[in-house]
Amino acid sequence: MNMEALKYVWEGSIPLQIHIHESEVTTVPAPPPALVSLLQWYIPTGVLFDLLCAQPERPWNLTVHFRGYPGNILIPCEGEDSVKWSFINSLKEASYIISGNCKNVMNMSQPDQEELWRSVLNGNLDGYLRVSSKLKLGIIGDQHIAASHLNSLKSWQSIGETDTTGQVKTGRVPVRLYVWCVGEDFDDFEDAPHIDAWEKISYINQPVEIQGEGKCFTLGDALKFLLPEYFRENSLIDEESSEAKGENEQKGSSEDAGGNVRDKDGEGLCENENSFQSVEAEIKLVRIQGIEPKLEIPFSWVVSNLINPEHFLHICVCVKVPQLTPYAM
Amino acid sequence: MSSTESPSSVRKVVVHLRATGDAPILKQAKFKEPCFINLYLNLCLDDYGGICEILGTDKFAKVIDFLRRQLHRETLFVYVNSAFSPNPDESVIDLYNNFGFDGKLVVNYACSMAWG
């Protein structure tokens, strides 16, 4: 079974450099870190990194505070148990979305549950697969991540055809979508406005149902479903030129007018005669597991290989929102 | 995110609060509460719980806090559909869209861990 992509994802890591906030060092040596300020502890670290580092810096610098836990902003975290509880409940939620119930998770034996959790903590893919396969949460048939055709990732069409021979289970895919909007355009992600507050991120928890028996349901199709207001009706044509969309650096140069541009649903704007001219909205960036997949990739492949251990697919999207400028009267 | 206001963003969600195990039952039909939760009398109020309405844009944390205050208990386990505990940061409208049925979101609460 070809596990190459899965292994890459599981072996991925982010180097961290952790600084204790100067004002809070009173003992030598400093006590072990208790929490990470202003980062939501229940969100996978990789997702936080993908969101907060537009141009990935390495190592990722974090400042730790030991005092003044902002209980009014962050929900409490009481150690590893809180994180495990959060993980298991997300797994149950995903199971509910996929199967309509979470009996399979609830019926897990204690040793199995512990082994599942340990394998996630330790990045142990084999251990994880051993236990998680018992849950039968495969959204896509196992054949999809097996088979020799995946050795060649060039021909998406052949994978699409496999999808239609009944090996793909049509089901609902649990998705957590994180969207942040920028007002200004940027060509280079070094110039991208940084997210300095969690409130600037829109979070949507919405499952995606893989549709279409006669054609391949792509990542772009899934995003169109999740963010309809940023996609035009004929966006399928635009996706042909999405090669540039996959690159996050050269956007400014790929000015092929229709290519990367999306119309914002401007009904409210257009009806008002004396009001505003909208510039089209644009999806600047899509990041999953630290990579920027091309939108024409089959969504089923994305799900099989880039899904998190709790069976949610976390997608980070950066959108440039239209600038509104009043008409000259 | 979208400049056009979608109906779901101002929608209220009906939440059915059901006691589990030895948790106290919220028998009152009306609660004296701050304005973010508006309650109305449900003629079909059953023995096991109460009904409340909450803004779709509010987080699940508001339901948890509401229950903690009403029941005077800090430790509560709160579930959806007797199945799982959503993250307190989840928005109520997302939970309703994904897990609601018959026009309501069923929330179960217990004083000790009820489901795994």
Side-chain angles (χ1 to χ4, degrees):
Chain A
M1 194 151 114
N2 187 333
M3 305 286 295
E4 195 177 347
L6 266 180
K7 277 187 187 159
Y8 268 121
V9 169
W10 273 70
E11 287 165 12
S13 60
I14 306 164
L16 301 178
Q17 188 165 78
I18 301 190
H19 309 266
I20 298 168
H21 195 263
E22 289 163 355
S23 67
E24 297 184 16
V25 177
T26 56
T27 62
V28 176
L35 56 87
V36 181
S37 173
L38 295 184
L39 295 180
Q40 306 288 0
W41 59 265
Y42 51 85
I43 294 179
T45 307
V47 175
L48 292 173
F49 183 73
D50 285 349
L51 286 170
L52 301 176
C53 294
Q55 183 66 17
E57 62 180 70
R58 287 179 187 85
W60 192 21
N61 286 290
L62 302 174
T63 303
V64 177
H65 295 257
F66 293 97
R67 295 197 282 249
Y69 191 95
N72 53 334
I73 303 170
L74 294 180
I75 54 181
C77 177
E78 279 127 31
E80 192 189 305
D81 278 349
S82 293
V83 188
K84 181 183 173 191
W85 168 263
S86 175
F87 172 80
I88 295 290
N89 275 292
S90 291
L91 181 63
K92 283 191 198 171
E93 186 180 343
S95 176
Y96 200 101
I97 289 169
I98 296 164
S99 328
N101 64 75
C102 53
K103 289 184 209 157
N104 51 358
V105 182
M106 290 205 274
N107 293 338
M108 272 175 82
S109 69
Q110 271 302 316
D112 271 356
Q113 213 184 83
E114 191 57 33
E115 194 188 334
L116 186 76
W117 173 239
R118 290 281 139 218
S119 63
V120 171
L121 276 187
N122 299 326
N124 175 2
L125 175 59
D126 292 333
Y128 171 80
L129 288 174
R130 201 165 40 239
V131 183
S132 69
S133 55
K134 297 183 196 176
L135 297 173
K136 304 218 185 300
L137 284 173
I139 301 156
I140 314 299
D142 285 339
Q143 293 88 340
H144 193 81
I145 54 173
S148 54
H149 68 257
L150 274 181
N151 285 326
S152 159
L153 299 179
K154 293 170 205 156
S155 170
W156 295 119
Q157 207 48 50
S158 65
I159 293 175
E161 282 158 11
T162 306
D163 284 355
T164 63
T165 58
Q167 291 183 337
V168 172
K169 283 191 227 166
T170 302
R172 302 206 301 158
V173 176
V175 173
R176 298 208 200 270
L177 187 70
Y178 309 84
V179 186
W180 80 101
C181 298
V182 295
E184 304 131 9
D185 205 345
F186 51 90
D187 296 334
D188 196 326
F189 266 90
E190 277 171 6
D191 303 327
H194 287 288
I195 301 172
D196 52 17
W198 188 251
E199 291 71 37
K200 293 195 175 163
I201 297 172
S202 296
Y203 163 67
I204 302 168
N205 177 359
Q206 185 175 2
V208 175
E209 192 156 345
I210 296 184
Q211 289 152 17
E213 309 223 337
K215 62 181 173 118
C216 184
F217 187 79
T218 65
L219 174 60
D221 291 332
L223 287 176
K224 192 164 71 164
F225 170 79
L226 290 166
L227 299 170
E229 64 267 41
Y230 297 116
F231 285 88
R232 264 194 303 220
E233 284 305 321
N234 59 341
S235 63
L236 281 173
I237 301 166
D238 298 324
E239 274 161 7
E240 308 246 331
S241 59
S242 63
E243 184 112 22
K245 210 191 333 290
E247 315 303 320
N248 64 356
E249 260 116 43
Q250 308 307 321
K251 268 201 183 18
S253 62
S254 61
E255 290 280 328
D256 40 320
N260 289 329
V261 175
R262 299 280 180 264
D263 261 336
K264 181 161 170 67
D265 175 8
E267 13 181 30
L269 300 168
C270 296
E271 279 161 15
N272 201 341
E273 285 178 23
N274 290 333
S275 80
F276 304 97
Q277 171 189 16
S278 73
V279 171
E280 292 142 329
E282 186 182 337
I283 297 220
K284 297 292 284 184
L285 174 71
V286 177
R287 244 183 218 155
I288 308 175
Q289 296 287 5
I291 67 175
E292 285 137 34
K294 296 191 193 307
L295 295 190
E296 62 264 28
I297 295 178
F299 188 58
S300 54
W301 187 93
V302 174
V303 173
S304 296
N305 291 280
L306 303 183
I307 206 158
N308 268 49
E310 83 287 15
H311 283 268
F312 266 90
L313 185 68
H314 298 252
I315 307 177
C316 303
V317 182
C318 175
V319 181
K320 191 203 86 172
V321 294
Q323 300 297 312
L324 302 181
T325 54
Y327 275 121
M329 300 278 255
Chain B
M1 216 169 57
S2 166
S3 67
T4 51
E5 189 79 37
S6 64
S8 62
S9 66
V10 293
R11 183 181 179 178
K12 285 190 180 153
V13 172
V14 174
V15 178
H16 192 179
L17 302 164
R18 300 181 63 92
T20 299
D22 57 356
I25 297 163
L26 294 168
K27 283 223 165 193
Q28 296 166 272
K30 281 193 196 268
F31 301 88
K32 293 187 187 81
E33 266 300 312
C35 57
F36 64 78
I37 293 182
N38 298 311
L39 304 181
Y40 60 88
L41 184 64
N42 179 359
L43 297 176
C44 304
L45 198 66
D46 63 27
D47 283 338
Y48 298 103
I51 295 269
C52 76
E53 240 186 1
I54 187 167
L55 281 175
T57 46
D58 280 336
K59 308 283 185 210
F60 192 64
K62 282 211 161 142
V63 178
I64 298 173
D65 287 343
F66 172 76
L67 285 168
R68 281 195 180 127
R69 275 197 310 276
Q70 288 296 317
L71 302 171
H72 307 295
R73 274 163 213 256
E74 261 311 299
T75 307
L76 267 187
F77 295 87
V78 188
Y79 304 85
V80 163
N81 292 342
S82 308
F84 63 90
S85 284
N87 195 291
D89 263 8
E90 293 286 344
S91 70
V92 172
I93 190 64
D94 280 349
L95 291 174
Y96 170 75
N97 286 335
N98 298 340
F99 309 109
F101 60 91
D102 291 346
K104 62 185 184 294
L105 181 68
V106 174
V107 169
N108 318 86
Y109 57 93
C111 296
S112 51
M113 206 180 291
W115 291 283

